[in-house]
């Protein structure tokens, strides 16, 4: 073995997913040497480098007859041929007697030919020195019993991209030394556990690209030496608990491009030696608490390219002491990673999170990863406010940003397009409003009657937000089980055995001390059976037809507040409340507030005492402004009530007034008395007008004093207007 090739073996594992231990040191490969033998016409005969399965280097006498439109074996083939390449020809049968005469034939490449029966190759004489045979891209449709029994030394068998749909239970009988089997991209619909009984030495198995929807329980139990299993592109929807049982040596496993909707955590428990796991391109929606727990050998995990992944939940990765690389990239809907998603990942060095919908990475995540060296966050709609404060801390300085020039803020507006690393901590706020990312909830979800509705709502904020859901009937669901509703701690709403009556608008509300965010989703329930066609959808009653109605009532009124309530049997997420102080002679501003979904009462505060108010409730169904403008789902006439705030209580009789204040009150009373007298004597209007400014001075001065002494104002605007008449 040459020193230049020492690297080769160490990189082998990284390449197991591709199924090939390709020499990555191609640049330094020794060159082909001339081989002076009588060579078949148009073929090339050379001494070429060749590597065994254990990456041992050989100088192999090689006959290369690729791409020659051959229909027969070319002759003469030199006696000591080690490697015979017949790729891309038109061969459909083989004179095996010729091959039998080649005692050192080790590697035979028959890929991209026209073989339709495997017996055409393996019948009659045996090839005891053949270690590797390539039969990819032929027309093989079935493998009978003991198809390869004449190839007793075979270590590698490549059968991918044929039309195999029938493989006899004992098809591989006699292949006691086989270490690598590629049978991917055929038409197998089931996996027969009996195939593997003949393969005790098998280390690499590529089964992907076959339309297999389910793996049998204990299907691989005979493969006690298997190190790498590739099950990509198969249409697997779920994994039986014991599907991977017996794979004691398994180190790498790929489920790339399947239809898994959950992490197959029970099945994964049976392969404790696993080091590399690829779950890329599946239909997993959530990485849930406990999905990856105590996988003590896991080194690298891939969760990329998942169209439906929305959330990485609390403690979804826990106690993975060997995990060094975690890739969660290119998931267009992934907008949420719980601040405590990663627990005891003491060796994690590389965290790849680029090209998701993440608005932030909570600082608790950074604090939970003591060995982190690099993080990739570019191509995310990053919110460079409170949640990015960690990027400015000392601890973050040792973490390298991958592509810092592409790691840009997209919010808040004043920081847009700035590089995250270049925003100073002074520019970031310390707290932030909740936001429910648009990508986490679709606007419409259809579900079968009697089925289970699952809606995921997640929100990031500082302080941590509280989440609740509002049902179409206006019911507010908190974190507890209610009838057949369940709100999971992360914000997922589950409704089992849903009925058509439960179709309608569901709203998620995330609230913290600073404010709230809401997002609504329309749920349709498909009727089952009744209709011969695909089933009717009970659409939520058309918005226009909805009788949006609620009666606004005044429950309680104080000096500076009023409590209003209304009853509605509907979820009305775009409800508004507006109020205005009413004075006969002046315009006062109208205030408006949004009322959160699921709220049916409101405490109006900061009101003026002894003042008339008019309060109106505008009920609305649709959440976005567009629909409201079209008048859809918004009640035409608002519900209004008027009331007057209470008087500030009169000073109690016997209240101890200090002498100074008493004298002022006396003066004022005296003044009022004089004015009364003046009015009674019908003094000239001119005189009155002259005195008004003086009176207003009295009013403001006394207000100044009363506000200090908590006394009633001696003269009130309402009384003043009476006096003016
Ligand atoms: C086959 O290989 C062996 C060992 O490399 C060699 O000694 C022998 O001569 C070869 N046989 C032929 C027919 O070339
Ligand atoms: C309404 O708000 C006022 C003023 O903040 C407060 O004193 C009162 O207790 C509140 N009432 C209720 C029921 O919350």
């Amino acid at each position: 073995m040459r020193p230049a090739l020492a690297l080769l073996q160490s990189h082998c594992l990284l390449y197991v997913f591709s199924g090939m231990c390709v020499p990555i040191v191609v640049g330094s490969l020794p060159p082909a040497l001339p081989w002076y033998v009588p060579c078949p016409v148009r073929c090339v005969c050379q001494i070429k480098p060749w590597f065994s399965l254990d990456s041992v280097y050989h100088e192999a006498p090689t006959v290369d007859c690729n791409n020659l439109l051959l229909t027969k074996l070319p002759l003469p083939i030199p006696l000591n041929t080690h490697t015979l390449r017949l790729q891309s020809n038109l061969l459909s049968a083989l004179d095996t007697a010729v091959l039998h005469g080649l005692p050192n034939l080790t590697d035979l490449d028959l890929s991209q030919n026209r073989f339709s029966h495997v017996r055409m190759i393996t019948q009659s004489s045996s090839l005891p020195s053949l270690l590797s045979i390539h039969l990819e891209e032929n027309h093989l449709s079935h493998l009978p019993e003991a198809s390869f029994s004449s190839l007793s030394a075979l270590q590698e068998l490549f059968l991918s991209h044929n039309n195999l749909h029938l493989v006899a239970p004992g098809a591989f009988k006699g292949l006691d030394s086989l270490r690598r089997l590629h049978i991917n991209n055929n038409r197998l619909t089931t996996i027969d556990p009996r195939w593997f009984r003949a393969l005790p030495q098998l280390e690499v198995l590529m089964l992907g690209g076959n339309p297999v929807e389910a793996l049998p329980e204990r299907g691989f139990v005979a493969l006690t030496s298997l190190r790498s299993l590739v099950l990509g592109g198969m249409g697997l929807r779920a994994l039986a608990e014991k599907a991977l049982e017996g794979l004691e040596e398994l180190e790498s496993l790929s489920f790339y491009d399947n239809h898994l909707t959950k992490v197959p955590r029970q099945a994964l428990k049976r392969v404790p030696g696993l080091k590399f796991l690829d779950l890329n391109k599946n239909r997993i929606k959530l990485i849930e608490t406990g999905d990856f727990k105590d996988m003590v050998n896991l080194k690298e995990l891939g969760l990329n390219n998942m169209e439906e992944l929305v959330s990485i939940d609390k403690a979804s990765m826990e106690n993975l002491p060997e995990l060094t690389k975690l890739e969660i990239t290119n998931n267009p809907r992934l907008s949420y990673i719980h601040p405590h998603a990663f627990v005891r990942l003491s060796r994690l060095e590389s965290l790849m999170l680029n090209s998701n919908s993440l608005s932030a990475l909570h600082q608790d995540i950074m604090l939970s990863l003591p060995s982190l060296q690099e993080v990739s966050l570019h191509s995310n709609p990053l919110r460079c406010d409170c949640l990015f404060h960690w990027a400015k801390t000392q601890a973050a300085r040792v973490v390298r940003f991958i592509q810092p020039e592409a790691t840009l803020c997209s919010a808040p507006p004043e920081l847009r397009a700035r590089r995250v690393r270049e925003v100073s901590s002074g520019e970031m706020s310390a707290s932030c409003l909740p936001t429910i990312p648009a990508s986490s909830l679709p606007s419409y979800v259809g579900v079968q009657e009697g089925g289970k509705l699952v809606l995921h709502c997640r929100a990031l904020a500082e302080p941590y937000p509280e989440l609740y859901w509002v049902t179409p009937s206006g019911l507010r669901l908190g974190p507890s089980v209610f009838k057949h509703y369940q709100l999971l701690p992360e914000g997922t709403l589950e409704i089992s055995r849903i009925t058509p009556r439960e179709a309608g608008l569901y709203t998620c509300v995330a609230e913290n001390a600073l404010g709230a965010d809401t997002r609504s989703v329309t749920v349709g329930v498909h009727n089952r059976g009744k209709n011969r066609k695909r089933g009717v959808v009970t659409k939520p009653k058309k918005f226009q037809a909805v009788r949006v109605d609620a009666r606004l009532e005044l429950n309680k009124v104080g000096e500076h507040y009023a409590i209003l309530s209304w009853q509605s049997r509907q979820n009305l997420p775009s409800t508004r409340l507006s109020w205005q102080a009413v004075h006969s002679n002046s315009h006062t501003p109208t205030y408006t507030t949004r009322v959160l979904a699921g709220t049916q009462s409101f405490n109006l505060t900061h009101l003026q005492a002894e003042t008339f108010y008019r309060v109106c409730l505008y009920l609305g169904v649709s959440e976005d402004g567009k629909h409201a403008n079209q008048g859809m789902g918004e009640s035409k006439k608002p519900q209004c009530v008027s009331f007057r705030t209470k008087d500030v209580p009169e000073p109690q009789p016997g209240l101890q007034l200090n002498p100074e204040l008493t004298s002022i009150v006396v003066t004022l009373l005296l003044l009022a008395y004089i004015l009364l007298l003046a009015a009674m004597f019908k003094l000239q209007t001119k005189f009155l007008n002259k005195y008004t400014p003086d009176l207003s001075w009295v009013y403001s001065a006394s207000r100044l004093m009363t506000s200090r002494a908590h006394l009633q104002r001696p003269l009130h605007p309402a009384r003043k207007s009476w006096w003016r008449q």
Side-chain angles (χ1 to χ4, degrees):
M1 194 166 163
R2 299 188 177 190
L5 303 172
L7 255 176
L8 195 69
Q9 196 150 12
S10 65
H11 278 78
C12 265
L13 260 180
L14 300 179
Y15 284 85
V16 279
F17 286 146
S18 67
M20 304 285 277
C21 224
V22 279
I24 55 151
V25 281
V26 173
S28 58
L29 268 184
L33 304 169
W35 178 28
Y36 303 105
V37 280
C39 199
V41 187
R42 296 192 292 151
C43 298
V44 178
C45 296
Q46 286 178 312
I47 309 285
K48 283 195 163 177
W50 188 88
F51 298 93
S52 75
L53 253 180
D54 302 310
S55 302
V56 177
Y57 171 78
H58 291 266
E59 291 185 340
T62 302
V63 178
D64 188 336
C65 307
N66 292 344
N67 292 302
L68 295 176
L69 303 172
L70 299 172
T71 52
K72 285 196 297 187
L73 268 183
L75 295 171
I77 296 177
L79 206 60
N80 56 341
T81 297
H82 173 284
T83 300
L84 176 56
R85 297 201 174 137
L86 292 160
Q87 191 189 345
S88 296
N89 283 294
L90 304 171
L91 301 169
S92 58
L94 219 52
D95 185 351
T96 49
V98 174
L99 299 180
H100 184 57
L102 307 171
N104 283 355
L105 185 65
T106 307
D107 191 340
L108 176 61
D109 188 348
L110 297 170
S111 58
Q112 297 180 347
N113 276 284
R114 298 197 168 172
F115 292 100
S116 52
H117 297 285
V118 73
R119 292 268 191 248
M120 293 295 184
I121 308 152
T122 62
Q123 67 194 355
S124 67
S125 49
S126 69
L127 299 168
S129 61
L130 198 68
L131 298 183
S132 178
I133 187 164
H134 289 266
L135 288 165
E136 301 100 320
E137 297 184 63
N138 276 285
H139 304 308
L140 303 175
S141 59
H142 65 281
L143 296 179
E145 286 285 317
S147 287
F148 306 93
S149 56
S150 58
L151 311 176
S152 56
L154 205 66
Q155 293 184 345
E156 296 181 296
L157 173 58
F158 299 98
L159 291 164
S160 22
H161 294 276
N162 277 281
N163 294 320
L164 291 171
H165 55 93
L166 273 176
V167 175
F172 304 111
K173 229 173 236 169
L175 292 175
D176 295 343
S177 305
L178 200 73
R179 291 166 63 186
R180 179 185 285 269
L181 173 62
H182 291 196
I183 196 166
N184 52 294
N185 297 89
N186 278 287
R187 287 163 48 203
L188 303 172
T189 53
T190 52
I191 304 292
D192 189 337
R194 291 173 292 182
W195 299 336
F196 307 122
R197 288 188 195 155
L199 306 170
Q201 305 286 326
L202 200 68
E203 291 171 16
V204 177
L205 175 60
M206 303 224 357
L207 266 175
N210 286 295
V212 175
E213 286 187 10
L215 298 178
E217 292 235 9
R218 299 170 54 82
F220 303 114
V221 79
L223 297 173
T224 51
S225 304
L226 202 70
R227 290 194 298 130
S228 171
L229 177 60
V230 180
L231 300 166
M234 298 183 79
L236 297 174
R237 288 171 197 285
L239 232 54
E241 191 176 329
K242 293 179 182 167
L244 305 173
E245 183 124 320
L247 294 170
E248 277 152 30
E249 296 294 316
L250 197 70
E251 293 183 347
S252 75
L253 177 60
S254 172
F255 288 107
Y256 176 80
D257 192 13
N258 276 287
H259 301 170
L260 298 177
T261 54
K262 279 172 176 269
V263 173
R265 64 161 102 165
Q266 294 306 328
L268 290 173
K269 286 217 167 83
R270 311 283 168 136
V271 280
L274 208 60
K275 292 180 178 169
F276 304 92
L277 176 59
D278 169 359
L279 282 165
N280 300 335
K281 212 171 175 205
N282 273 281
R283 298 183 181 169
I284 298 172
K285 284 201 168 109
L286 300 176
I287 306 297
E288 293 172 86
T289 304
D291 270 352
F292 300 98
K293 195 177 178 195
D294 303 330
M295 297 175 74
V296 293
N297 290 296
L298 196 67
K299 281 177 185 292
E300 293 186 16
L301 173 61
L303 298 168
N304 307 307
N305 296 299
M306 298 210 232
E307 287 292 321
E308 299 181 39
L309 185 63
V310 296
S311 170
I312 312 281
D313 287 348
K314 186 173 183 179
S316 49
M317 298 185 196
E318 185 170 356
N319 189 28
L320 308 175
E322 291 296 320
L323 193 72
T324 51
K325 184 165 187 171
L326 178 56
E327 275 193 31
I328 310 176
T329 69
N330 293 289
N331 304 297
R333 293 177 61 197
L334 178 64
S335 56
Y336 181 82
I337 300 182
H338 191 281
H340 303 136
F342 309 135
V343 183
R344 286 189 288 148
L345 269 53
S346 53
R347 290 237 176 122
L348 193 74
E349 292 173 5
S350 179
L351 178 60
M352 299 295 142
L353 295 171
N354 53 279
S355 314
N356 294 308
S357 281
L358 294 172
S359 59
L361 193 59
H362 199 277
Q363 69 166 349
D364 288 358
I365 292 176
M366 302 306 285
L367 294 174
S368 66
L369 302 172
S371 303
L372 196 66
Q373 288 174 11
E374 55 178 21
V375 64
S376 127
L377 273 169
H378 63 83
S379 313
N380 278 294
L382 299 173
R383 197 174 136 184
C384 293
D385 49 14
C386 58
L387 295 168
F388 258 107
H389 258 281
W390 61 263
K392 304 292 139 202
T393 62
Q394 207 57 40
R397 294 201 198 287
V398 296
V399 178
R400 194 167 66 89
F401 269 57
I402 291 168
Q403 293 196 31
E405 73 290 345
T407 310
L408 307 175
C409 308
S410 36
E414 62 274 19
L415 295 178
R416 195 166 291 153
R418 293 268 304 276
R419 291 181 189 175
V420 174
R421 275 257 126 143
E422 291 170 8
V423 176
S424 71
S425 59
E427 290 174 280
M428 298 179 177
S429 59
S431 50
C432 49
L433 281 163
T435 35
I436 303 171
S439 57
S440 65
L441 273 178
S443 58
Y444 177 84
V445 169
V447 63
Q448 279 280 348
E449 176 179 358
K452 190 175 188 178
L453 172 70
V454 182
L455 299 170
H456 307 296
C457 180
R458 299 287 186 276
L460 275 173
E462 191 69 44
Y464 201 72
E466 188 198 330
L467 272 115
Y468 65 88
W469 278 89
V470 181
T471 68
S473 57
L475 191 67
R476 181 179 158 150
L477 302 172
S480 59
V481 186
F482 178 77
K483 282 196 200 163
H484 58 307
Y485 300 105
Q486 193 176 4
L487 179 64
L488 305 177
E490 304 277 355
T492 295
L493 174 65
E494 292 187 352
I495 305 179
S496 46
R497 302 183 312 280
I498 194 161
T499 63
R501 282 191 315 177
E502 286 165 312
L505 194 69
Y506 287 78
T507 301
C508 174
V509 181
E511 202 178 4
N512 73 2
L514 303 170
D517 192 19
T518 69
R519 202 157 284 279
S520 295
V521 48
T522 303
V523 172
V525 178
H526 302 246
N527 281 334
R528 228 200 298 235
K530 284 177 192 161
N531 210 299
R532 256 186 293 143
K533 286 187 182 173
R534 276 183 63 229
V536 232
V537 181
T538 309
K539 280 248 172 73
K541 294 157 240 161
K542 280 203 174 137
F543 287 144
Q544 292 97 324
V546 174
R547 277 186 65 88
V548 174
D549 218 2
R551 225 184 127 71
L552 183 65
E553 283 172 0
L554 180 71
N555 284 39
K556 198 174 175 208
V557 60
E559 294 143 42
H560 302 292
Y561 73 92
I563 294 168
L564 296 134
S565 74
W566 58 95
Q567 297 246 306
S568 168
R569 304 221 165 153
Q570 263 181 287
N571 175 17
L572 301 164
S574 66
T575 297
R576 290 176 294 126
L577 201 63
S578 77
W579 66 100
Q580 185 179 27
V582 185
H583 301 306
S584 61
N585 60 341
S586 61
H587 285 286
T588 55
T590 304
Y591 299 97
T592 299
T593 184
R594 249 186 92 184
V595 176
L596 284 181
T599 306
Q600 305 209 331
S601 71
F602 203 90
N603 190 355
L604 275 182
T605 58
H606 300 286
L607 302 181
Q608 284 182 321
E610 299 165 38
T611 308
F612 283 101
Y613 278 93
R614 183 174 160 80
V615 181
C616 293
L617 180 71
Y618 297 82
L619 300 166
V621 175
S622 65
E623 232 182 4
D624 48 10
K626 251 189 298 172
H627 284 192
N629 286 348
Q630 289 162 8
M632 286 170 76
E634 177 130 8
S635 58
K636 287 197 184 86
K637 276 188 192 164
Q639 284 274 329
C640 297
V641 291
S642 297
F643 59 87
R644 183 176 173 277
T645 46
K646 271 193 181 164
D647 294 355
V648 176
E650 299 280 344
Q652 297 290 308
L655 189 75
Q656 291 291 320
L657 292 173
N658 68 41
E660 192 190 327
L661 272 175
T662 314
S663 69
I664 291 167
V665 171
V666 168
T667 318
L668 289 172
L669 284 173
L670 211 69
L671 200 69
Y673 182 62
I674 294 165
L675 287 172
L676 201 67
L677 279 179
M680 282 169 71
F681 282 109
K682 298 179 184 169
L683 283 175
Q684 285 176 350
T685 325
K686 204 178 165 193
F687 175 86
L688 264 172
N689 283 346
K690 200 178 162 194
Y691 265 77
T692 311
D694 292 340
L695 283 171
S696 67
W697 174 84
V698 169
Y699 163 62
S700 54
S702 63
R703 187 171 65 162
L704 210 90
M705 283 183 292
T706 51
S707 63
R708 247 175 37 220
H710 301 280
L711 278 174
Q712 195 189 356
R713 290 174 214 151
L715 212 55
H716 189 272
R719 289 188 203 164
K720 199 164 76 177
S721 64
W722 161 81
W723 178 81
R724 266 197 189 167
Q725 282 167 359

